[in-house]
Amino acid sequence: MRKSIAFPFAAVVAAALVLFAMPAVSEDTVGAPQTPEQAQAQQQQQTISPVEAFTLMAGEAEKGNTAAMLTLGTMYERGIGTPRNFVKAREWYQKAAAAGLAEGYYNVGVCYEIGMGTTGDPVIAFTNFEKSAELGLSQGLYKLASLYFAGLGTTKNEPWGVELLGRAAAAEHAGAANDLGVISFEGTYGQPKDLTKAFDWFTRSAEMGNGEAMKNLAVFYRDGLGRPADPEQELKWYALARLAGYPAAPLNSAIERVRGVLTEEQIAKVEADAQTWVKAFQERQQAAAGGPGSTAPAQ
């Protein structure tokens, strides 16, 4: 359920900001925390061929390394170091699931949802997404919500879908938080229309790096939805949306319009504020990953 408010958008603020690219997020397949063997294999991939990397990962998977099973499934799915083989990809995802990996259940769910390496079956897809959600995977919660909204593989239940979106957002799923913002903005799925709540959800999603939510924040500041219009904030969030990967084409005209009503001093301030935001975002990501300078507790 990837929706956004249907308003005009914006584009790049300054060339300097392009240096601060945010990571893209894929919801089709997900990874697992790296084991030492996986980390070694990833490092070796920089100097060995894809075929050698595939052989190394296959050996680890055959030894029972569950994270390697998941990675091997991805290599078969994408044709990395081996011809594409969707059946084998599904089989390795199933082995990872049988070993208890939430990501394995999720990827098996995707296989049955889209009919990859097997016949599509929404009920089996639902069951696997449900297991991944029970194991705490935010992507699983998000996918379950979409199935409850559509009534695919289960009985349609919109209130429960909204509840699952809330759980996914609480587990740091940026797309779920953005969707909750759209639901609050439109007053759909039995929820009351609430601009304040919509703004809060878009802000939460944007803080997680979601470009669509950033664009939606810009729209709120452009149209003064539930707050005074603020072209500086509008420009800032359009710029950040572009950096987060939101398509540039629909943003270009809007950003030029906003720049046209601001002074050079205001534009410079927006650029500085955007760079400060990106730096803080990167630091949060690093801390969450336990990287250099992290304040995250040791495991």
Side-chain angles (χ1 to χ4, degrees):
M1 191 191 74
R2 188 172 289 274
K3 297 180 66 180
S4 65
I5 301 172
F7 292 131
F9 315 129
V12 184
V13 158
L17 292 180
V18 178
L19 297 174
F20 299 93
M22 298 181 190
V25 177
S26 171
E27 294 173 359
D28 294 330
T29 58
V30 293
Q34 284 191 328
T35 63
E37 293 83 2
Q38 265 197 305
Q40 179 185 8
Q42 185 178 40
Q43 185 176 17
Q44 290 181 355
Q45 284 182 40
Q46 298 176 8
T47 56
I48 65 177
S49 70
V51 173
E52 292 171 321
F54 172 82
T55 300
L56 178 64
M57 195 58 63
E60 289 298 319
E62 293 290 355
K63 292 177 186 176
N65 184 319
T66 55
M69 293 175 187
L70 194 69
T71 301
L72 190 61
T74 300
M75 297 180 89
Y76 272 119
E77 178 184 343
R78 300 180 182 178
I80 301 173
T82 185
R84 269 188 165 182
N85 189 321
F86 294 145
V87 172
K88 285 188 176 295
R90 175 183 53 79
E91 289 173 351
W92 280 106
Y93 290 149
Q94 287 181 314
K95 290 180 181 180
L101 280 187
E103 296 87 353
Y105 282 116
Y106 179 87
N107 287 351
V108 172
V110 171
C111 290
Y112 280 97
E113 179 185 34
I114 66 177
M116 188 184 82
T118 185
T119 302
D121 189 320
V123 174
I124 297 178
F126 173 86
T127 299
N128 280 277
F129 289 138
E130 188 173 45
K131 289 179 179 178
S132 74
E134 289 172 353
L135 291 171
L137 191 69
S138 64
Q139 290 93 335
L141 289 163
Y142 183 74
K143 184 64 75 171
L144 269 188
S146 69
L147 295 181
Y148 274 111
F149 286 135
L152 292 174
T154 188
T155 302
K156 188 173 183 178
N157 189 330
E158 293 180 350
W160 186 237
V162 173
E163 170 68 21
L164 290 170
L165 281 183
R167 295 185 184 185
E172 299 298 303
H173 194 289
N178 182 69
D179 285 352
L180 287 166
V182 174
I183 290 170
S184 295
F185 175 81
E186 296 179 342
T188 52
Y189 298 122
Q191 303 302 303
K193 183 170 182 175
D194 188 327
L195 294 182
T196 298
K197 185 177 288 187
F199 180 85
D200 290 344
W201 279 119
F202 290 144
T203 299
R204 183 167 180 177
S205 179
E207 291 295 333
M208 291 185 240
N210 186 284
E212 192 170 16
M214 294 171 184
K215 179 271 299 177
N216 287 339
L217 283 179
V219 169
F220 265 59
Y221 281 114
R222 185 198 70 192
D223 292 345
L225 297 173
R227 66 209 61 254
D230 188 332
E232 290 186 35
Q233 285 295 316
E234 178 189 354
L235 184 57
K236 170 188 168 182
W237 287 109
Y238 276 142
L240 291 172
R242 174 64 183 88
L243 292 179
Y246 197 85
L251 298 174
N252 290 332
S253 60
I255 199 152
E256 288 306 315
R257 173 187 54 76
V258 182
R259 287 173 64 93
V261 302
L262 297 176
T263 66
E264 290 300 321
E265 290 77 10
Q266 288 174 313
I267 293 173
K269 180 180 180 298
V270 170
E271 292 173 357
D273 287 348
Q275 292 188 53
T276 298
W277 188 96
V278 171
K279 182 179 179 180
F281 175 83
Q282 292 173 329
E283 290 173 350
R284 291 196 303 273
Q285 294 292 98
Q286 189 177 64
S294 168
T295 57
Q299 298 298 316

